[in-house]
């Protein structure tokens, strides 16, 4: 029998309601499940998925130095599509199972059920995966599972997974006229779409229904709800969004999906900031579980979405019981076998000492970490964010703000000159929005175009002018020259850049890189000595370096940077430069992982963070 309702304010009534509905014990079961599930997912399933992708890559891709489209095309084979499809299905099933458990906990809290066994709850959640045996699940895959290009798979235990584009793309969009308005409109659209579909997880977990039917049921139920109920649900959903926004605003990121690999313990031991990030990751799991249970409880208290009683998929139930029974039986059998083997052993103390020594030696080998190839450096992205991009002034200002290296982009003009410019046309930076193709226009005409960035007019410089500016600003400023071939001119661009660098005696202060494999190959053919440094710019990579790259450094987009990539680069003695990191806190975070350079628009802030973190 329930207790009599107590008097008092809203907090007292909420405490009374939580006690009478056994919210504490149910929530404890939810958190225990969440921590166990996330540990299994992060330490077993994610590494297994990465191994499957890497197995396919090692077996089928000739060279990883290819364009973004080339990487995707190489996956468009029967084995490649099957590999991606299998991982997408596993990610979706794992996310739905996780949500099912949390939503069922909320449903029991809402109706005041007496807490039962966690195994029974997991069994019911597993049975409800049969809802995915419907063609509409193809639409559920991108909704329930966030599948980043080339299967950097991660799940988010929230009603609506957060879709986060690469940070550099957001920064570029913000720099464009109206970019902030576009981003705000995009976020608002995603927020409204998520609000409209907020009831889908509850419908999928409590009803025998497909994803399409759950969408229809959730949307119609929400639209037909009284205004007071709608306001309550929107408020709860808004609270979820606010919690997510506040969490995303933290200066330190949680661990990337790819950081859960064989090097996890090594970084826990060596990197204090990594330990902080791991702790934040665990805290995020807990907060997400509590948020989902709380939100779903409000849903069940507000709408007629009670559990369909008495149904379960018999096949799924038998499968769950079989798997559980096999796991228990084999675990008990292994324990008995080990105990009998130990009992029959002779010289147990000697063997124990040998075993402990062997384990200690293995641990020492595991913990040992090769030093980074060189002390971390600050690299100004296209100069610096306080001056017009790829301009002579940006090179000089970057040096003043503390840059050790300045990254610039170079292209070949229609009359065989090398200019410092990023885009293929002038439209984005031309003051009059004139669109001239760099590869099809003469240098004279290109320099007649008035460019404007950060409200400052300037003229498109040549590579010779950029090198001259670097030589004049200080004696040790280096240039990271990124070659951007267009229309099959990779060989010629490489030849012209190498010739200019040699003519001006700037070889020892130059780093040449490109995303284009042909340009890299031609540079390697042309370089005449070990002082040449040639690097590969990684974008949409697989997040690993288990292939012979034949370059002196790599530059990787920050969303792809992880401990596996950095550790493999360390073993090969290859410096890693991360682009484009515009947060000093994140810059310190990457330096703590062992990267050798940070490419940033915020040169001054990054220089201070890198100097502090590199001590």
């Amino acid at each position: 029998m329930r207790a009599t309702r107590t008097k008092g304010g809203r907090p007292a009534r909420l405490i009374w309601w939580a006690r009478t509905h056994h919210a504490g014990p149910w929530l404890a079961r939810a958190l225990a499940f969440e921590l166990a599930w996330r540990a299994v997912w992060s330490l077993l399933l994610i590494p297994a998925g990465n191994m499957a992708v890497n197995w396919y890559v090692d077996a089928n891709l000739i060279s990883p130095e290819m364009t973004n489209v080339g990487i995707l095309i190489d996956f468009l084979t029967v084995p490649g599509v099957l590999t991606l499809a299998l991982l997408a299905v596993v990610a979706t099933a794992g996310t739905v199972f996780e949500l099912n458990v949390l939503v069922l906990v909320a449903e029991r809290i809402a109706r005041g059920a007496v807490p039962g066994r966690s195994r029974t709850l997991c069994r019911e959640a597993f049975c409800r995966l049969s809802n995915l045996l419907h063609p509409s699940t193809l639409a559920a895959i991108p909704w329930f599972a966030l599948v980043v290009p080339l299967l950097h798979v991660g799940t988010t235990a929230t009603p609506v997974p957060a879709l986060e584009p690469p940070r550099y793309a957001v920064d570029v969009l913000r720099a464009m006229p109206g970019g902030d308005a576009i981003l705000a409109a995009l976020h608002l659209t995603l927020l409204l779409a998520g609000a409209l579909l907020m009831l889908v997880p509850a419908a999928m977990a409590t009803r025998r229904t497909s994803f399409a039917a759950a969408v229809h049921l959730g949307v119609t139920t929400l639209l037909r709800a009284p205004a007071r109920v709608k306001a309550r649900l929107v408020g709860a959903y808004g609270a979820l969004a606010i919690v997510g926004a506040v969490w995303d605003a933290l200066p330190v990121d949680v661990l990337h999906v790819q950081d859960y690999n064989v090097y996890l313990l090594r970084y826990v031991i060596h990197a204090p900031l990594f330990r902080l990030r791991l702790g934040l990751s665990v805290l995020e799991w807990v907060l997400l579980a509590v948020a989902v249970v709380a939100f779903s409880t409000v849903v069940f208290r507000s709408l007629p979405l009670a559990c369909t009683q008495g149904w379960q998929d018999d096949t799924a139930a038998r499968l769950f019981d079989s798997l559980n029974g096999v796991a228990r039986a084999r675990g008990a059998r292994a324990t008995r076998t080990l105990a009998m083997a130990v009992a029959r052993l002779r010289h147990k103390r000697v063997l124990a000492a040998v075993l402990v020594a062997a384990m200690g030696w293995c641990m020492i080998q595991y913990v040992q970490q090769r030093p980074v190839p060189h002390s971390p450096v600050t690299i100004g992205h296209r100069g610096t964010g306080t001056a017009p991009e790829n301009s002579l002034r940006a090179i000089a200002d970057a040096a003043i703000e503390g840059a050790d290296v300045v990254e610039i982009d170079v292209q070949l003009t229609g009359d065989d000159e090398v200019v410092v410019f990023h885009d293929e046309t002038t439209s984005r930076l031309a003051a009059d929005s004139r669109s001239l193709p760099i590869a099809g226009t003469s240098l004279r005409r290109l320099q007649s175009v008035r460019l404007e960035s950060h409200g400052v007019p300037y003229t498109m410089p040549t590579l010779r002018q950029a090198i001259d500016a670097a030589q004049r600003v200080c004696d040790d400023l280096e240039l990271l020259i990124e070659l951007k071939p267009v229309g099959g001119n990779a060989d010629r661009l490489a030849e012209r850049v190498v010739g200019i660098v040699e003519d001006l005696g700037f070889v020892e202060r130059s780093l040449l890189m490109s995303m284009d494999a042909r340009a890299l190959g031609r540079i390697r053919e042309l370089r005449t000595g070990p002082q040449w440094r040639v690097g590969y710019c990684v974008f949409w990579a697989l997040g690993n370096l288990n292939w012979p790259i034949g370059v002196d450094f790599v530059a990787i987009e920050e969303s792809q940077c992880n401990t596996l990539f950095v550790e493999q680069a360390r073993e090969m003695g290859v410096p890693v430069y991360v682009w484009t990191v515009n947060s000093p806190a994140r810059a310190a975070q990457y330096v703590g992982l062992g990267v050798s350079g940070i490419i940033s628009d915020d040169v001054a802030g990054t220089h201070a963070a890198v100097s502090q973190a590199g001590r």
Side-chain angles (χ1 to χ4, degrees), residues 14 26 36 50 60 68 137 160 166 248 298 431 449 511 526 568 611:
L14 183 60
W26 276 118
N50 290 332
N60 295 277
N68 309 334
T137 300
V160 181
D248 290 339
V298 174
V449 177
L511 297 88
L526 294 171
Q568 290 173 338
S611 300

Side-chain angles (χ1 to χ4, degrees), residues 181-493:
I182 295 174
L183 281 175
L186 178 61
H187 287 151
L188 181 60
T189 301
L190 291 175
L191 190 63
L192 292 176
L196 191 62
L197 299 176
M198 69 170 75
L199 302 182
V200 171
M204 289 283 287
T206 58
R207 302 296 181 95
R208 184 188 286 268
T209 181
S210 65
F211 176 72
V215 171
H216 180 267
L217 175 64
V219 172
T220 54
T221 302
L222 181 63
L223 295 179
R224 292 173 182 174
R228 180 173 58 85
V229 173
K230 288 180 183 176
R232 183 186 306 165
L233 292 175
V234 170
Y237 185 80
L240 274 182
I242 292 173
V243 170
V246 171
W247 189 262
D248 290 339
L250 291 177
V252 179
D253 292 342
V254 297
L255 295 185
H256 295 170
V257 173
Q258 287 283 80
D259 289 326
Y260 297 101
N261 53 59
V262 295
Y263 299 112
L264 179 69
L265 180 58
R266 179 182 292 183
Y267 277 87
V268 169
I269 294 172
H270 284 291
L273 189 56
F274 188 87
R275 293 195 292 270
L276 173 61
R277 294 175 63 204
L278 179 60
L280 287 176
S281 300
V282 175
L283 180 59
E284 182 187 45
W285 300 348
V286 172
L287 290 178
L288 287 173
V290 172
V292 171
V293 172
F295 174 79
S296 301
T297 302
V298 174
V299 169
F300 290 120
R301 290 281 294 169
S302 305
L303 292 171
L305 283 175
C307 227
T308 303
Q309 299 296 325
W311 81 268
Q312 69 175 16
D313 186 279
D314 293 336
T315 303
R318 286 195 296 270
L319 177 60
F320 181 87
D321 293 337
S322 298
L323 293 174
N324 186 66
V326 168
R328 288 174 177 269
R330 291 196 173 183
R333 188 181 307 135
T335 302
R336 288 195 302 270
T337 302
L338 180 61
M340 293 173 61
V342 170
R344 289 195 298 266
L345 284 176
R346 298 180 179 180
H347 311 294
K348 293 184 178 64
R349 292 183 179 179
V350 175
L351 291 175
V354 172
L355 181 61
V356 169
M359 292 177 61
W361 182 84
C362 291
M363 181 58 68
I364 291 172
Q365 296 301 312
Y366 173 80
V367 170
Q368 285 182 349
Q369 191 175 42
R370 289 189 61 174
V372 294
H374 60 73
S375 300
V377 295
T378 301
I379 305 173
H381 182 234
R382 304 180 197 174
T384 177
T386 60
E389 65 176 67
N390 281 316
S391 66
L392 302 181
R393 174 179 170 180
I395 295 173
D397 287 0
I400 296 172
E401 293 173 13
D404 304 289
V405 185
V406 173
E407 183 266 344
I408 58 175
D409 308 286
V410 297
Q411 297 187 59
L412 202 62
T413 67
D415 55 352
D416 211 33
E417 295 291 339
V418 181
V419 291
V420 181
F421 200 73
H422 178 270
D423 300 353
E424 293 186 10
T425 69
T426 60
S427 59
R428 179 172 64 92
L429 294 177
D432 57 1
S433 300
R434 197 187 331 174
S435 181
L436 296 178
I438 306 302
T441 309
S442 67
L443 173 63
R444 181 175 180 180
R445 190 176 181 194
L446 287 172
Q447 291 191 326
S448 70
V449 177
R450 180 176 177 269
L451 304 177
E452 187 171 304
S453 177
H454 296 277
V456 178
Y458 69 107
T459 301
M460 186 183 303
T462 65
L463 177 58
R464 289 182 178 275
Q465 291 173 325
I467 292 176
D468 180 65
Q471 289 173 325
R472 283 188 286 105
V473 71
C474 64
D475 295 333
D476 57 356
L477 181 66
E478 298 181 338
L479 290 183
L480 174 56
I481 304 170
E482 180 180 352
L483 284 70
K484 305 186 78 66
V486 177
N489 64 4
D491 284 349
R492 185 54 183 162
L493 176 59

Side-chain angles (χ1 to χ4, degrees), residues 2-299:
R2 295 183 181 179
T4 305
R5 184 169 179 171
T6 59
K7 297 182 180 180
R10 187 176 183 84
R13 291 196 300 271
L14 183 60
I15 294 173
W16 169 84
W17 186 91
R19 286 177 176 173
T20 58
H21 284 71
H22 313 289
W26 276 118
L27 192 58
R29 283 166 171 74
L31 293 180
F33 161 79
E34 182 70 4
L35 291 174
W37 174 250
R38 287 291 181 138
V40 170
W41 186 266
S42 301
L43 300 179
L44 295 178
L45 296 180
I46 288 176
N50 290 332
M51 287 176 61
V53 173
N54 291 334
W55 165 81
Y56 174 80
V57 171
D58 294 341
N60 295 277
L61 300 190
I62 298 174
S63 170
E65 296 178 359
M66 56 183 66
T67 62
N68 309 334
V69 176
I71 295 176
L72 295 178
I73 289 176
D74 277 317
F75 266 92
L76 297 181
T77 62
V78 173
V81 171
L82 289 178
T83 300
L84 299 182
L86 176 62
L87 292 180
V89 168
V90 170
T92 302
T95 303
V96 174
F97 173 71
E98 182 182 17
L99 279 171
N100 283 349
V101 172
L102 299 178
V103 171
L104 289 175
V105 166
E107 189 272 339
R108 274 129 173 97
I109 293 175
R111 60 183 172 89
V114 177
R117 298 175 61 189
S118 298
R119 176 180 174 275
T120 302
L121 191 71
C122 292
R123 187 174 186 266
E124 290 188 33
F126 186 84
C127 288
R128 281 151 174 77
L129 290 180
S130 61
N131 286 339
L132 297 177
L133 300 176
H134 188 271
S136 64
T137 300
L138 292 175
I141 288 176
W143 193 80
F144 275 115
L146 176 58
V147 184
V148 182
L150 295 189
L151 272 294
H152 290 231
V153 180
T155 58
T156 304
T158 58
V160 181
L163 302 176
E164 182 182 0
R167 290 189 175 109
Y168 85 93
V170 174
D171 293 337
V172 171
L173 184 59
R174 281 177 174 162
M176 298 173 60
D180 288 332
I182 295 174
L183 281 175
L186 178 61
H187 287 151
L188 181 60
T189 301
L190 291 175
L191 190 63
L192 292 176
L196 191 62
L197 299 176
M198 69 170 75
L199 302 182
V200 171
M204 289 283 287
T206 58
R207 302 296 181 95
R208 184 188 286 268
T209 181
S210 65
F211 176 72
V215 171
H216 180 267
L217 175 64
V219 172
T220 54
T221 302
L222 181 63
L223 295 179
R224 292 173 182 174
R228 180 173 58 85
V229 173
K230 288 180 183 176
R232 183 186 306 165
L233 292 175
V234 170
Y237 185 80
L240 274 182
I242 292 173
V243 170
V246 171
W247 189 262
D248 290 339
L250 291 177
V252 179
D253 292 342
V254 297
L255 295 185
H256 295 170
V257 173
Q258 287 283 80
D259 289 326
Y260 297 101
N261 53 59
V262 295
Y263 299 112
L264 179 69
L265 180 58
R266 179 182 292 183
Y267 277 87
V268 169
I269 294 172
H270 284 291
L273 189 56
F274 188 87
R275 293 195 292 270
L276 173 61
R277 294 175 63 204
L278 179 60
L280 287 176
S281 300
V282 175
L283 180 59
E284 182 187 45
W285 300 348
V286 172
L287 290 178
L288 287 173
V290 172
V292 171
V293 172
F295 174 79
S296 301
T297 302
V298 174
V299 169

